[in-house]
Each structure stands twice: as structure tokens, then as C-alpha cells.
């Protein structure tokens, strides 16, 4: 049998294994990457397979589809809300991870520091594919998903750049810190610039073409071409692919027809599926299980070092954003899985690296095996214990019925348009219209049936209505700014208010609306009176409403301040006082007011400036609360 036929046979066998794994995943509902890593481990027992895994094969062929597919689907609006945290984790976080892992392995089992730092760099690349799949299935908060995905996407690029620098240092034995920092900035920034430029050019082409075959071809050229072009200039090919995917996915996709968008999404999901599968299965072919077992203590050290570095990185660096709940930090720590990118980097280590190459591959595989099997399989339980929002059976049923009704409505509107254009005869339309309307009414009724039986779903629908309203308001502000009706300063202030509302806690406003008609007096244990100035009234009222805190306004005029202000009366449920006070601290502006000398009992020349922050608040305990209407 010729080498070509042998290679084709191997590819077919691996594709068959991938298909079987996918079937098993569907049957037993386990994360796909977990099943893949176990299948790769099983393949390591097979003998007689020889594949030379070069760095070019791994980096140039398998990485671009993985990175481009993730970047293409990431929403820039969501990304921008957490960009500071993501950038902190993706750049200083990767460096910190490399130093901590390298230090632990060097001081512990005695791995040479240069080799330990190479491992620390390659293992810094996270791969939350299985975690994100669980998030989407259970309905975890979208912004938490974006944090994990965004960090993974950008730390892939920075980890690869630092990994390359670490390999170069090992090869030359020369370390110049300032030169290394300069090289990192040049390589990373240059890659992002090339990728963004190519992504923008693709968007221009996509706006003039409506043929899914051409657009699939263009995105393929974009993904692999961005990598190759950047590497030709000795820049970061992976960061070029990240930038190209983000720009083309958020600009070019807007101009695509629904058919093109669906086909394009399916195509890149398939390519990423193949690349992900190939990395896990090829390393299964390449691994030597006996050697791996003989290095079990070193692998345990590696696992411990990775967990320690992840904990230090997450719990320290995410403090830059105080709005991130601690429960989310626990998820970010445990959800920092290692997967295809780390394996690909380990496999890309040149063969002339020495015997340490095999050791690094085995350590990487051990960490990936632990993270996907132990961390990945326990993520569902962790989300439930932390009480992170997950989908109930009612929510899943509502989603299914609502999607069916919306699809039917779209079909009905399409046929109505064809009828109005004369493309469907009046005779035929009069026959089928009553049937379609009846079917539509039945579907809408089934959706309402689910909502009536679940107050949580009703609150969620109200929240969705509110979000659509806010998005429309944001769009109108953009139009007003473009036409010159409002200034840039006013535009930014009002948009910031809307963005704050859009990123508020899920369902809080919906629960507030529901309680407006049936107020829960029994929950009220405190009465909060807050005096705010007129300029802060709307901001404070809106922010409190978002938190589900009912507000009654009373206009007043401040005593010694001599200015019009407002008293807000709020019934506070147990455990909600800190929410209300934090809201005032966040939305009320700093200002300087002058106290009247008469009120202070001083001389006329003794006017004293007093700086106030937030609102003047008074709290009273309440034994019983009754709402009179």
C-alpha cells in the first residue's frame, strides 16, 4: 500500500472516530472536548501509526480555523463592556501565569527555569469551548460567557507571542528584557493592525457580494491569509487572525443575507470542529502512555502550578472591575480550561529542542486531561451551587415554543408579501390564509400558556421588552448625534446611562414590574429616605428601578442648601440596603455646595464650601408595612 493511500486511510479512520465521538456525546450529554481528549488517550494505545507533527502543520493549518471561528462570532458590543478586564487578563495575566508556573516547577520538581518558563507560556492559553457550551445550554449570564471567551481569544494570541519569545531565549540563551518587551509590542500590535485592515477590506467586499460560495471562499482566504501575511513580516499571525475575525464578523456580517450568514456560520463551525478534533486525536497518536505514567509526579506538579497561577491571576487582576461578582470569579477560575491551543503549542515545539520536548508534551497533555475531565465535568455542578442563573425546564419549553411561533410568523409575513405582490393567486391565498392564521393563533396561545404558569418567564419577557426599548433609544440618540441635534457630550452621557441599564442584572426590572401590581409588603424591613439633587433624580430613579427597588418621589427644597431637591422613599427588603446605597454612590455626581452662614450661625464672611458625594440618606427600621392605594 502506497504512503498516499496509507495517509488517506488514516484520515478516514480519524474522521470516523470523530463521528463516533460526536454521536456518543449527543447520546450521553457530556462535553465534546472531554470526549475528544478521552478518545485521543485511547488512540495512544494503537501501534503502527507514524505521523510527523511539525510546527507548520499545527500553527499554520490547525490554529487559524480555531481562532477565526471564535473571533468571528464574538459580539464587539459585549466585548467592549469588559475590555479592560479582558486586556488585563490577556497581557499581564499571561506574563504572570508564565512566571508563577515557571517558578513553581523550577523550585519544586527542579525543572530548568528556561524550560519551565516555556511551559508556563504555552499553558497560559485557555480554551473554554466545553465551558461555553455548558453556559449556553444552561443559560448562564451572557457577560460571564463573554469574559471567558474574550480572555481566551486574546490570551491565545499573547501566549503564542510570549511562547515564541521564550523558545527563542532558550535557543540563544540570551535574555534582554527591554528588547523582549519591544519585540512583544511590535509583534502583537503589528499582527492586530494587519488583521484589522484585512478584515475591513473583507467587509467592503462582502457589502458588494451576495453569494455564499464567494463569501465562504473570501473568509477562508482571510483567515489563513491574515496568518501567513503577518508571519511573513515576523508579526503575530494568531493576533492577525483574531483581529480579522472580529472586524469581519461584526462589520461584514451586517451586509450578508440570512442564507449567506447561516451557511457561513455552519462552514466555520465545521472547520473548527475538524481542527479541534484533529489536535486532540493527533496528540493521542503521538503520545506514549508508558512514558506519561512514569512522569506522573511531574504532571501533578504541573497541574498544581496551573491551578495556583490561575487562582492568583483571576482573584487579583479582576479586582480592577469591582462590578464583577465574586461568584463569577469562582467560575472564571475553575473555567480556565486548557485545550486545543495549549496542545497545539506543545506539538509545535521543534524536534531539535531535545528530550525536554517529549516531557513538555506529556505535561501539557496531563494538564489538559485534568482540566477537561475534572474541571469541565464539574462545571455544571459549580454553576448550580453558586446559584448562577441557569435555564429551567419551563424556560427551555418557552424558548422552544416562542422560536416556533416566531418562525411561523416570519413565514406568514413572507407569504402575505407574496400575495400582495400578486405572486400568489387570490383564490389560493383565500384558501390557505385562514389555516395559517389559525395555526399562528395556536402557537401564540401555547407561548402564553407557558408564561402564565411561570412568573419568572413573565419577568424575563418583560425584561426583553425593556431591552428592545433601550436599544431603540440608543439608536435614536445615535441618529440625533449624527444630525447635530445633540452635542457629543450629551450623547455620551445618555448613552452611558443606557449602557449601564443594558448591562444590569437579568430579570431585575421584570420582577420590579410584576411587583408593581402586587407589592410584597411582608418583605419590607426598612424604610430608606434619600435626598438627591434634581440633576441626579432620573439617574438615581432609573438605577433603583433596574435593581427592582420601588421608589416614591417627593419634591422638596433643601434646608441650608437652598436648592430644589427630591426626597426618594423606598421600602427596602432584607439584604437589599447595600444595593440601594451602592446605587446612589455610583450614579450621583460629585458637586460643591455653599452652606449659608445664617444656617451655620457664623459671620457673613465665614461661608464654608462643603463637598458632597452621593445622596443624604436616612434609614429607619420597619416592623410592619402596608401599601395604601
Amino acid at each position: 500500500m502506497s504512503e498516499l493511500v496509507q495517509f488517506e486511510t488514516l484520515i478516514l479512520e480519524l474522521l470516523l472516530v470523530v463521528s463516533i465521538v460526536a454521536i456518543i456525546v449527543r447520546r450521553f450529554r457530556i462535553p465534546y472536548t472531554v470526549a475528544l481528549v478521552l478518545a485521543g488517550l485511547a488512540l495512544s494505545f494503537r501501534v503502527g501509526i507514524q505521523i510527523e507533527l511539525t510546527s507548520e502543520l499545527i500553527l499554520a493549518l490547525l490554529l487559524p480555523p480555531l481562532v477565526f471561528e471564535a473571533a468571528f462570532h464574538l459580539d464587539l458590543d459585549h466585548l467592549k463592556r469588559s475590555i479592560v478586564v479582558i486586556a488585563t487578563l490577556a497581557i499581564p495575566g499571561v506574563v504572570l501565569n508564565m512566571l508563577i508556573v515557571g517558578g513553581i516547577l523550577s523550585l519544586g520538581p527542579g525543572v530548568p527555569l528556561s524550560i519551565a518558563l516555556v511551559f508556563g507560556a504555552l499553558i497560559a492559553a485557555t480554551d473554554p469551548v466545553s465551558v461555553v457550551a455548558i453556559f449556553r445550554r444552561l443559560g448562564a449570564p451572557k457577560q460571564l460567557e463573554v469574559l471567558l471567551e474574550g480572555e481566551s481569544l486574546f490570551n491565545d494570541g499573547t501566549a503564542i507571542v510570549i511562547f515564541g519569545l521564550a523558545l527563542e531565549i532558550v535557543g540563544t540563551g540570551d535574555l534582554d528584557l527591554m528588547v523582549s518587551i519591544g519585540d512583544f509590542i511590535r509583534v502583537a500590535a503589528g499582527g492586530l493592525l494587519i488583521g484589522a485592515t484585512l478584515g475591513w477590506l473583507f467587509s467592503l467586499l462582502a457589502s458588494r457580494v451576495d453569494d455564499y460560495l464567494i463569501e465562504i471562499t473570501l473568509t477562508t482566504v482571510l483567515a489563513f491569509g491574515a496568518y501567513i501575511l503577518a508571519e511573513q513580516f515576523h508579526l503575530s499571525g494568531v493576533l492577525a487572525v483574531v483581529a480579522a475575525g472580529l472586524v469581519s464578523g461584526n462589520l461584514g456580517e451586517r451586509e450578508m443575507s440570512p442564507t449567506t450568514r447561516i451557511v457561513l456560520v455552519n462552514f466555520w463551525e465545521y472547520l473548527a470542529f475538524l481542527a479541534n478534533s484533529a489536535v486532540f486525536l493527533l496528540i493521542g497518536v503521538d503520545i506514549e502512555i508508558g512514558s506519561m505514567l512514569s512522569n506522573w509526579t511531574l504532571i501533578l506538579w504541573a497541574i498544581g502550578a496551573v491551578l495556583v497561577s490561575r487562582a492568583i491571576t483571576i482573584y487579583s487582576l479582576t479586582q480592577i472591575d469591582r462590578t464583577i461578582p465574586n461568584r463569577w470569579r469562582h467560575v472564571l477560575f475553575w473555567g480556565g480550561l486548557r485545550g486545543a491551543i495549549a496542545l497545539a503549542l506543545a506539538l509545535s515545539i521543534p524536534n531539535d529542542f531535545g528530550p525536554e520536548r517529549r516531557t513538555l508534551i506529556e505535561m501539557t497533555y496531563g494538564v489538559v486531561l485534568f482540566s477537561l475531565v475534572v474541571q469541565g465535568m464539574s462545571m455544571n455542578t459549580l454553576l448550580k451551587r453558586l446559584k448562577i442563573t441557569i435555564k429551567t425546564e419551563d424556560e427551555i419549553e418557552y424558548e422552544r415554543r416562542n422560536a416556533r411561533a416566531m418562525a411561523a410568523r416570519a413565514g406568514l409575513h413572507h407569504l402575505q408579501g407574496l400575495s400582495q405582490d400578486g405572486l400568489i393567486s387570490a383564490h389560493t391565498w383565500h384558501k390557505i390564509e385562514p389555516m395559517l392564521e389559525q395555526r399562528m393563533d395556536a402557537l401564540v396561545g401555547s407561548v402564553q400558556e407557558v408564561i402564565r404558569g411561570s412568573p419568572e418567564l413573565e419577568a424575563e419577557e418583560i425584561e426583553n421588552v425593556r431591552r428592545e426599548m433601550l436599544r431603540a433609544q440608543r439608536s435614536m440618540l445615535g441618529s440625533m448625534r449624527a444630525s447635530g441635534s445633540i452635542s457629543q457630550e450629551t450623547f455620551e452621557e445618555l448613552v452611558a446611562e443606557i449602557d449601564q441599564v443594558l448591562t444590569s442584572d437579568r430579570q431585575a426590572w421584570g420582577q420590579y414590574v410584576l411587583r408593581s401590581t402586587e407589592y410584597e409588603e411582608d418583605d419590607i424591613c426598612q424604610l430608606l429616605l434619600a435626598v438627591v439633587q434634581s440633576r441626579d433624580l432620573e439617574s438615581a430613579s432609573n438605577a433603583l428601578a433596574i435593581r427592582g427597588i420601588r421608589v416614591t418621589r417627593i419634591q422638596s427644597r433643601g434646608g441650608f442648601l437652598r436648592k430644589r431637591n427630591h426626597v426618594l422613599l423606598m421600602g427596602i427588603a432584607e439584604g437589599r440596603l447595600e444595593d440601594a446605597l451602592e446605587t446612589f454612590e455610583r450614579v450621583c455626581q460629585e458637586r460643591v455646595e455653599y452652606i449659608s452662614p445664617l444656617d451655620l450661625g457664623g459671620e457673613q464672611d465665614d461661608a464654608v464650601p462643603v463637598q458632597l458625594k452621593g445622596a443624604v440618606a436616612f434609614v429607619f427600621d420597619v416592623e410592619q408595612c402596608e401599601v395604601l392605594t
Side-chain angles (χ1 to χ4, degrees):
M1 186 181 295
S2 66
E3 291 185 2
L4 178 60
V5 175
Q6 287 181 339
F7 180 75
E8 289 180 350
T9 303
L10 176 60
I11 294 299
L12 292 176
E13 289 177 353
L14 292 179
L15 289 176
L16 181 59
V17 170
V18 167
S19 302
I20 293 173
V21 169
I23 293 171
I24 294 174
V25 165
R26 286 182 173 271
R27 177 67 178 83
F28 294 99
R29 293 182 177 274
I30 60 177
Y32 175 66
T33 49
V34 173
L36 272 179
V37 77
L38 294 177
L41 187 62
L43 280 178
S44 65
F45 292 98
R46 177 173 174 173
V47 296
I49 301 177
Q50 295 293 329
I51 299 179
E52 184 178 354
L53 299 175
T54 65
S55 58
E56 290 79 10
L57 172 66
I58 298 298
L59 295 178
L61 185 62
L62 297 180
L63 277 189
L66 290 173
V67 175
F68 186 84
E69 191 269 342
F72 192 80
H73 294 95
L74 194 60
D75 192 325
L76 270 179
D77 289 334
H78 288 292
L79 183 65
K80 286 187 292 187
R81 296 170 194 161
S82 303
I83 191 62
V84 175
V85 178
I86 290 173
T88 303
L89 292 174
I91 302 176
V94 168
V95 176
L96 184 61
N97 183 90
M98 178 184 70
L99 296 177
I100 294 174
V101 171
I104 291 176
L105 292 179
S106 178
L107 296 175
V111 177
L113 181 59
S114 58
I115 304 299
L117 290 177
V118 170
F119 178 76
L122 72 88
I123 209 65
T126 57
D127 184 13
V129 174
S130 58
V131 175
V132 170
I134 294 172
F135 279 10
R136 291 172 181 172
R137 176 164 55 85
L138 297 180
K142 179 64 178 178
Q143 203 59 33
L144 176 57
E145 177 187 326
V146 170
L147 276 173
L148 263 180
E149 277 196 302
E151 180 208 355
S152 172
L153 193 61
F154 285 96
N155 76 8
D156 287 350
T158 55
I160 290 171
V161 173
I162 292 176
F163 170 72
L165 293 175
L167 280 181
E168 184 178 342
I169 292 171
V170 171
T172 61
D174 183 26
L175 172 61
D176 188 322
L177 183 60
M178 296 308 298
V179 172
S180 297
I181 293 175
D183 287 343
F184 172 78
I185 295 174
R186 176 184 58 82
V187 169
L192 289 172
L193 179 61
I194 286 179
T197 303
L198 294 178
W200 177 71
L201 291 175
F202 165 82
S203 302
L204 292 180
L205 287 174
S207 64
R208 293 167 171 78
V209 177
D210 189 17
D211 186 316
Y212 64 86
L213 293 176
I214 296 176
E215 296 195 46
I216 286 175
T217 305
L218 287 175
T219 55
T220 305
V221 173
L222 175 64
F224 290 95
Y227 180 89
I228 294 172
L229 183 61
E231 289 292 327
Q232 290 296 316
F233 289 99
H234 304 289
L235 303 173
S236 173
V238 174
L239 284 176
V241 177
V242 169
L246 280 173
V247 174
S248 61
N250 286 271
L251 295 181
E253 196 176 27
R254 299 174 186 173
E255 307 296 333
M256 298 177 187
S257 66
T259 301
T260 300
R261 189 178 300 113
I262 292 171
V263 174
L264 198 61
V265 167
N266 291 337
F267 171 78
W268 278 104
E269 283 184 355
Y270 176 66
L271 275 191
F273 169 79
L274 287 182
N276 215 20
S277 304
V279 171
F280 284 104
L281 296 182
L282 288 176
I283 200 170
V285 174
D286 192 58
I287 204 74
E288 294 178 6
I289 193 67
S291 175
M292 216 181 135
L293 291 175
S294 66
N295 286 325
W296 66 271
T297 55
L298 192 56
I299 291 174
L300 288 180
W301 271 99
I303 293 171
V306 169
L307 290 177
V308 170
S309 67
R310 181 68 179 175
I312 293 174
T313 301
I314 291 297
Y315 290 109
S316 62
L317 297 185
T318 57
Q319 295 297 328
I320 195 172
D321 187 348
R322 297 288 183 176
T323 64
I324 298 178
N326 281 328
R327 292 180 301 167
W328 286 21
R329 291 188 174 94
H330 303 329
V331 174
L332 290 172
F333 158 63
W334 198 244
L337 277 58
R338 270 60 176 184
I341 304 296
L343 290 175
L345 291 179
L347 290 173
S348 71
I349 298 174
N351 290 325
D352 58 6
F353 194 77
E356 289 85 1
R357 178 181 186 273
R358 172 61 54 184
T359 302
L360 290 178
I361 291 176
E362 291 170 354
M363 290 167 61
T364 305
Y365 195 75
V367 172
V368 170
L369 187 66
F370 173 84
S371 69
L372 291 180
V373 175
V374 178
Q375 295 175 251
M377 295 289 283
S378 60
M379 185 56 63
N380 195 331
T381 303
L382 178 64
L383 289 173
K384 290 181 179 179
R385 288 196 174 184
L386 293 175
K387 297 180 180 179
I388 302 289
T389 303
I390 60 175
K391 289 184 180 178
T392 63
E393 292 296 328
D394 285 341
E395 288 175 316
I396 294 173
E397 182 61 25
Y398 166 79
E399 190 177 273
R400 183 183 299 114
R401 294 189 185 187
N402 189 54
R404 189 179 293 125
M406 292 181 68
R409 174 69 69 185
L412 178 60
H413 286 170
H414 178 66
L415 292 179
Q416 287 173 338
L418 293 178
S419 174
Q420 293 170 1
D421 293 338
L423 300 177
I424 298 177
S425 67
H427 174 75
T428 300
W429 181 243
H430 288 317
K431 281 183 173 292
I432 65 173
E433 183 182 21
M435 298 171 56
L436 296 176
E437 292 283 1
Q438 184 179 7
R439 173 60 176 163
M440 191 70 248
D441 292 341
L443 291 173
V444 172
S446 69
V447 174
Q448 297 303 318
E449 180 183 355
V450 177
I451 293 177
R452 283 193 295 268
S454 174
E456 291 79 11
L457 285 178
E458 186 175 1
E460 182 176 358
E461 187 173 48
I462 293 172
E463 169 67 7
N464 290 336
V465 170
R466 181 196 66 134
R467 288 183 181 276
E468 289 300 318
M469 174 190 68
L470 291 171
R471 290 190 181 104
Q473 292 177 5
R474 202 180 193 283
S475 177
M476 175 54 70
L477 289 174
S479 299
M480 295 174 69
R481 177 66 191 100
S483 64
S485 301
I486 57 176
S487 66
Q488 180 67 25
E489 182 180 354
T490 300
F491 170 77
E492 292 177 354
E493 178 184 348
L494 297 181
V495 166
E497 290 181 6
I498 293 176
D499 287 344
Q500 177 62 39
V501 176
L502 282 170
T503 57
S504 62
D505 294 339
R506 186 184 179 203
Q507 291 189 342
W509 196 74
Q511 297 288 357
Y512 164 73
V513 172
L514 293 178
R515 287 198 298 268
S516 297
T517 56
E518 187 175 349
Y519 202 70
E520 300 174 3
E521 299 91 344
D522 294 339
D523 294 338
I524 301 302
C525 63
Q526 292 175 311
L527 179 65
L528 174 62
L529 279 71
V531 182
V532 299
Q533 302 303 305
S534 295
R535 65 189 299 181
D536 293 330
L537 176 63
E538 290 302 324
S539 298
S541 299
N542 289 338
L544 291 166
I546 294 166
R547 295 291 184 94
I549 299 174
R550 188 173 182 177
V551 180
T552 300
R553 305 181 188 180
I554 300 176
Q555 184 173 307
S556 61
R557 184 176 293 275
F560 61 80
L561 295 178
R562 303 290 187 191
K563 302 194 75 170
R564 177 172 297 179
N565 52 40
H566 302 265
V567 176
L568 303 182
L569 280 73
M570 293 148 281
I572 304 298
E574 186 174 355
R576 300 302 306 278
L577 180 60
E578 289 187 4
D579 288 345
L581 296 179
E582 186 275 332
T583 298
F584 286 117
E585 182 69 19
R586 175 170 51 83
V587 303
C588 293
Q589 302 179 34
E590 284 189 346
R591 56 194 176 276
V592 175
E593 304 289 356
Y594 285 87
I595 299 177
S596 166
L598 181 63
D599 291 326
L600 291 176
E603 298 295 330
Q604 187 68 25
D605 295 68
D606 295 337
V608 180
V610 178
Q611 190 176 44
L612 302 177
K613 171 65 178 176
V616 180
F618 305 89
V619 182
F620 304 92
D621 291 333
V622 174
E623 294 183 1
Q624 182 178 353
C625 176
E626 296 182 6
V627 177
L628 302 179
T629 58

